[in-house]
Amino acid sequence: MKNVAKSRFLLALGLASAFQFSCQRQSSAPAASAPAAPAETTTGRNFSSASVAATIYEGIEFDMPKVKETKFPNYSVPITKYGAVGDGITKNTQAFEQAINDVAAKGGGHVIIPRGLWLTGPIVLKSNIDLHAEAGSMVIFSRDFNDYPLIKTSFEGLDTYRCQSPISGMNLENVAITGEGTFDGNGDAWRPVKKSKMTDAQWKTLTKTGVLSDDGKTWYPTEKSKKADAKDNFNVPNFKTKEEFEAVKDYLRPVLLSLVNCKTVLLDGPTFQNSPAWNLHPLMCQDIILRNLNVRNPWYSQNGDGLDLESCKNALVYNNTFDVGDDAICVKSGKDEDGRRRGVPTENVIVKNNVVYHGHGGFVVGSEMSGGVKNVHVSNCTFMGTDIGLRFKSTRGRGGVVENIWISNIDMINIPTQAISFNLFYGGNSPVLEEDQKAGTEARVEKPVPVTEKTPSFKNIWMRNITVSGADEAVALQGLPEMNLQNVNLENAYLKARRGISAVDATGIALKNVKVVTEKGPALTIHNSKDINVQGLTFNQTNEPAVKVLGPLTKNVKLNNKDFTSAATQISKGKDLGKAAVSMQ
């Protein structure tokens, strides 16, 4: 009886959490164009057949292929045909499976999720299936860890074992998830939670179940989950056998949606929320469209990324809203040796018209980018309160090349750290340090090391029309001594921040028509960098020089005379600087 009571309590708690989370839903960004006339299906339901608006491909700086779009036969089956009950209590795993099999057997079409609360275990997609969640529908994934067996997969760029994802598909073609419904991953059942991220009342309620760390500062759902945390290697335990992973299975949180090696994919309309780990994870997919989505995780959710587009080719990400616990829109391509061995870059990506609320980063590249990233366009996005706005990160040992990134028309407000950040010494810390993190983890090491295949390279990045209204630091450009950050261009920017722009171990930096409004310190600091060209720099007057140039390796810094009323007092040169390192044009 005690076990029954406990099960009912956990079920009620999970449903209450899901209801509360769903009721906070933000409205999606407006669509780029009105949908075409709906097509009548065999069951009398309507589906939008809206295609990608031509404006999405406008202004792209590289040769962007038109992304192939999904098409489905005019056949549909509701999950209720196979006995699904929308009461939030009855588990409907078998009904989902049978409805998907039915539609697949007919050559494809639509699997309908009507209005209601649909509790289920994992959903496995098939080719030529559109999983359509109607308005008012909510799919709630089971809190029973036994529903999610261990499978071979990739997480955080490493080949490993994880629990099966609530929604998954592998080696599929022509697959979609559409509609206005909600998919809730019940992530609160899985995620460890730090006491520092909760109120006393929340912590008291949470700790009625689960177990605590030895120091009492972290909650775990089970003893198995706690057992693995001591062996954590960026959330991927360094085990060799499946049996070792099985012993800590509860710790191996799945991503909410896993699509691996799929072609012609559409996610259009639903809310994806409360994921156990990452929310949306397309891996090695081609021709993928993500639009009109509402992607949400609690702010305290560890590894609660919004979208991780990994080793994908030809992708459109537009008209979405993100409010998550980690990076929001993230581009990756594998980690270290596993990523280099895969050798599949993420390339040909358009990111337009997205809004990000909370998140560690608004638009992010890395840190798992060992397979490379190239040909990415980001424009017309708004970041409100993200820890960092535009975030590029990697570290020694990654390898990989990030190149040809174009970013424009970005608005940011209330950014707690850097509005624009390049960190090539990334050690895994959150931008806002938590109580168990130390800044020294990502301290810059002056001494160069040999350049090898393990050396990451970031180059050829253009940013223009950037507005920042409030940040701790405007721009931080930090490369490696042995592999400088190369050819970063910032044009037409208004940057209001407590501190200005810094460039360290960077080559080929160009600033044009950039206004920096700071509370303290210089507008621009240059250290051990070369081939710097600054034109049209404007700044507010402070008690310190507007520009500081430092470092024995600094050379060929070009400043514009017109930008200064008194160059002798507004430009500070370090004692270790070469005599010809700075010139006035």
Side-chain angles (χ1 to χ4, degrees), residues 340-376:
R340 294 193 297 272
R341 182 173 58 250
R342 181 198 300 162
V344 179
T346 291
E347 59 183 318
N348 303 335
V349 178
I350 296 175
V351 178
K352 281 189 172 184
N353 309 330
N354 299 285
V355 176
V356 180
Y357 296 95
H358 187 274
H360 285 179
F363 172 78
V364 183
V365 176
S367 68
E368 304 97 71
M369 39 63 68
S370 300
V373 175
K374 60 183 178 181
N375 297 344
V376 178

Coordinates of all heavy atoms in Angstrom, one line a residue, residues 340-376:
R340 N 36.2 14.0 -34.5 CA 37.1 14.0 -35.7 C 37.0 12.8 -36.5 O 37.1 12.8 -37.7 CB 38.5 14.3 -35.2 CG 38.7 15.6 -34.5 CD 40.2 15.9 -34.3 NE 40.9 15.0 -33.4 CZ 40.9 15.1 -32.1 NH1 40.4 16.2 -31.5 NH2 41.6 14.2 -31.3
R341 N 36.8 11.6 -35.8 CA 36.6 10.4 -36.5 C 35.4 10.4 -37.4 O 35.4 9.9 -38.5 CB 36.6 9.2 -35.5 CG 36.5 7.8 -36.2 CD 36.7 6.7 -35.2 NE 35.7 6.7 -34.2 CZ 36.0 7.1 -32.9 NH1 37.3 7.4 -32.6 NH2 35.1 7.1 -32.0
R342 N 34.3 10.9 -36.8 CA 33.0 11.0 -37.6 C 33.3 12.0 -38.8 O 32.9 11.6 -39.9 CB 31.9 11.6 -36.7 CG 30.6 11.7 -37.4 CD 29.6 12.7 -36.7 NE 29.3 12.2 -35.4 CZ 28.9 13.0 -34.4 NH1 28.6 14.3 -34.6 NH2 28.6 12.5 -33.2
G343 N 33.9 13.1 -38.6 CA 34.3 14.0 -39.6 C 33.1 14.6 -40.4 O 33.3 14.8 -41.6
V344 N 32.0 14.8 -39.8 CA 30.8 15.4 -40.5 C 30.6 16.8 -40.0 O 30.1 16.9 -38.8 CB 29.6 14.5 -40.3 CG1 28.4 15.1 -41.1 CG2 29.9 13.1 -40.8
P345 N 30.8 17.8 -40.8 CA 30.5 19.2 -40.3 C 29.1 19.5 -40.3 O 28.2 18.8 -40.9 CB 31.3 20.0 -41.3 CG 31.2 19.2 -42.6 CD 31.3 17.8 -42.1
T346 N 28.7 20.5 -39.6 CA 27.4 21.2 -39.7 C 27.6 22.3 -40.8 O 28.4 23.1 -40.6 CB 26.8 21.7 -38.4 OG1 26.5 20.6 -37.6 CG2 25.6 22.5 -38.7
E347 N 26.8 22.3 -41.8 CA 27.0 23.2 -42.9 C 25.7 23.6 -43.6 O 24.7 22.8 -43.6 CB 28.0 22.7 -43.9 CG 27.5 21.4 -44.6 CD 28.6 20.8 -45.6 OE1 29.1 21.6 -46.3 OE2 28.8 19.6 -45.6
N348 N 25.6 24.8 -44.1 CA 24.5 25.3 -44.9 C 23.3 25.4 -43.9 O 22.3 24.6 -44.0 CB 24.1 24.4 -46.1 CG 25.3 24.3 -47.1 OD1 26.2 25.1 -47.1 ND2 25.3 23.2 -47.8
V349 N 23.3 26.4 -43.1 CA 22.3 26.6 -42.0 C 21.8 28.0 -42.1 O 22.6 29.0 -42.1 CB 22.9 26.3 -40.6 CG1 21.8 26.5 -39.6 CG2 23.4 24.8 -40.6
I350 N 20.5 28.2 -42.1 CA 19.9 29.5 -42.0 C 19.1 29.6 -40.7 O 18.3 28.8 -40.4 CB 18.9 29.8 -43.1 CG1 19.7 29.8 -44.5 CG2 18.2 31.1 -42.9 CD1 18.8 30.0 -45.7
V351 N 19.4 30.6 -39.9 CA 18.7 30.9 -38.6 C 18.2 32.3 -38.6 O 18.9 33.2 -38.6 CB 19.7 30.7 -37.4 CG1 19.0 31.0 -36.1 CG2 20.4 29.4 -37.4
K352 N 16.8 32.4 -38.7 CA 16.2 33.7 -38.9 C 15.0 33.8 -37.9 O 14.3 32.8 -37.7 CB 15.7 33.9 -40.3 CG 16.8 34.2 -41.3 CD 16.1 34.6 -42.7 CE 17.2 35.2 -43.6 NZ 16.5 35.6 -44.9
N353 N 14.8 35.0 -37.5 CA 13.5 35.4 -36.9 C 13.2 34.6 -35.6 O 12.1 34.1 -35.4 CB 12.3 35.3 -37.8 CG 12.6 36.0 -39.1 OD1 13.3 37.0 -39.2 ND2 12.0 35.5 -40.2
N354 N 14.2 34.4 -34.8 CA 14.0 33.7 -33.5 C 14.1 34.6 -32.3 O 14.8 35.6 -32.3 CB 15.0 32.6 -33.4 CG 14.9 31.6 -34.5 OD1 14.0 30.7 -34.6 ND2 15.9 31.6 -35.5
V355 N 13.4 34.3 -31.3 CA 13.4 35.0 -30.0 C 13.9 34.1 -28.9 O 13.4 32.9 -28.8 CB 12.1 35.6 -29.6 CG1 12.1 36.2 -28.2 CG2 11.6 36.6 -30.6
V356 N 14.9 34.5 -28.1 CA 15.4 33.7 -27.0 C 15.3 34.5 -25.7 O 15.7 35.7 -25.7 CB 16.9 33.3 -27.2 CG1 17.4 32.5 -26.0 CG2 17.1 32.6 -28.5
Y357 N 14.7 33.9 -24.8 CA 14.5 34.5 -23.4 C 15.7 34.0 -22.6 O 16.8 34.4 -22.8 CB 13.2 34.2 -22.8 CG 12.0 34.8 -23.6 CD1 11.3 34.0 -24.6 CD2 11.6 36.1 -23.5 CE1 10.3 34.5 -25.3 CE2 10.6 36.6 -24.2 CZ 9.9 35.8 -25.1 OH 8.9 36.4 -25.9
H358 N 15.4 33.2 -21.6 CA 16.6 32.7 -20.8 C 17.3 31.7 -21.6 O 16.8 30.9 -22.3 CB 16.1 32.1 -19.5 CG 17.2 31.8 -18.5 ND1 17.8 30.6 -18.6 CD2 17.8 32.5 -17.5 CE1 18.7 30.5 -17.6 NE2 18.7 31.7 -17.0
G359 N 18.6 31.6 -21.3 CA 19.5 30.6 -21.9 C 21.0 31.0 -21.6 O 21.3 32.1 -21.3
H360 N 21.9 30.0 -21.6 CA 23.3 30.3 -21.4 C 23.8 31.1 -22.6 O 24.7 31.9 -22.5 CB 24.1 29.1 -21.2 CG 23.9 28.5 -19.8 ND1 24.5 27.4 -19.4 CD2 23.2 28.9 -18.7 CE1 24.2 27.1 -18.1 NE2 23.4 28.0 -17.7
G361 N 23.3 30.8 -23.8 CA 23.7 31.5 -25.0 C 22.5 31.6 -25.9 O 21.7 30.7 -26.0
G362 N 22.4 32.7 -26.7 CA 21.3 32.9 -27.6 C 21.6 32.0 -28.8 O 20.9 31.1 -29.1
F363 N 22.6 32.4 -29.6 CA 23.1 31.6 -30.7 C 24.5 31.1 -30.4 O 25.3 32.0 -30.0 CB 23.1 32.3 -32.1 CG 23.8 31.5 -33.1 CD1 23.1 30.5 -33.8 CD2 25.1 31.8 -33.5 CE1 23.8 29.8 -34.8 CE2 25.7 31.1 -34.5 CZ 25.1 30.0 -35.1
V364 N 24.8 29.8 -30.5 CA 26.0 29.3 -30.0 C 26.6 28.3 -31.0 O 25.9 27.5 -31.6 CB 25.7 28.5 -28.7 CG1 27.0 27.9 -28.1 CG2 25.0 29.3 -27.7
V365 N 28.0 28.4 -31.1 CA 28.7 27.4 -31.8 C 29.7 26.7 -30.9 O 30.5 27.4 -30.2 CB 29.5 28.0 -33.0 CG1 30.4 27.0 -33.7 CG2 28.6 28.7 -34.0
G366 N 29.6 25.4 -30.7 CA 30.5 24.7 -29.9 C 29.8 24.3 -28.6 O 28.6 24.4 -28.4
S367 N 30.6 23.8 -27.6 CA 32.0 23.6 -27.7 C 32.4 22.4 -28.5 O 33.5 22.2 -28.9 CB 32.6 23.6 -26.3 OG 32.3 22.4 -25.6
E368 N 31.4 21.4 -28.7 CA 31.7 20.2 -29.4 C 31.6 20.6 -30.9 O 30.5 20.5 -31.5 CB 30.7 19.1 -29.1 CG 30.7 18.8 -27.6 CD 29.5 19.5 -26.9 OE1 28.4 19.1 -27.1 OE2 29.8 20.4 -26.1
M369 N 32.7 20.9 -31.5 CA 32.7 21.3 -33.0 C 33.9 20.6 -33.7 O 34.4 21.2 -34.6 CB 32.8 22.8 -33.1 CG 33.7 23.6 -32.1 SD 35.4 23.2 -32.2 CE 35.8 23.9 -33.8
S370 N 34.3 19.4 -33.3 CA 35.5 18.8 -33.8 C 35.3 18.4 -35.3 O 36.3 18.2 -35.9 CB 35.8 17.5 -33.0 OG 36.0 17.9 -31.6
G371 N 34.1 18.2 -35.8 CA 33.9 17.9 -37.2 C 33.8 19.1 -38.1 O 33.7 19.0 -39.3
G372 N 33.8 20.3 -37.4 CA 33.7 21.6 -38.2 C 32.3 22.1 -38.3 O 31.3 21.4 -38.2
V373 N 32.3 23.5 -38.6 CA 31.0 24.2 -38.8 C 31.3 25.2 -39.9 O 32.3 25.9 -39.8 CB 30.5 24.9 -37.6 CG1 29.3 25.8 -37.9 CG2 30.2 23.9 -36.4
K374 N 30.5 25.3 -40.9 CA 30.7 26.2 -42.0 C 29.4 26.6 -42.7 O 28.5 25.9 -42.7 CB 31.7 25.7 -43.0 CG 31.3 24.4 -43.7 CD 32.4 23.9 -44.7 CE 32.0 22.6 -45.3 NZ 33.1 22.1 -46.2
N375 N 29.4 27.8 -43.3 CA 28.3 28.3 -44.0 C 27.0 28.4 -43.1 O 26.1 27.6 -43.3 CB 28.0 27.5 -45.3 CG 29.2 27.5 -46.3 OD1 30.0 28.4 -46.2 ND2 29.1 26.6 -47.2
V376 N 27.0 29.4 -42.3 CA 25.9 29.6 -41.4 C 25.5 31.1 -41.4 O 26.3 32.0 -41.3 CB 26.3 29.3 -39.9 CG1 25.1 29.5 -39.0 CG2 26.7 27.8 -39.8

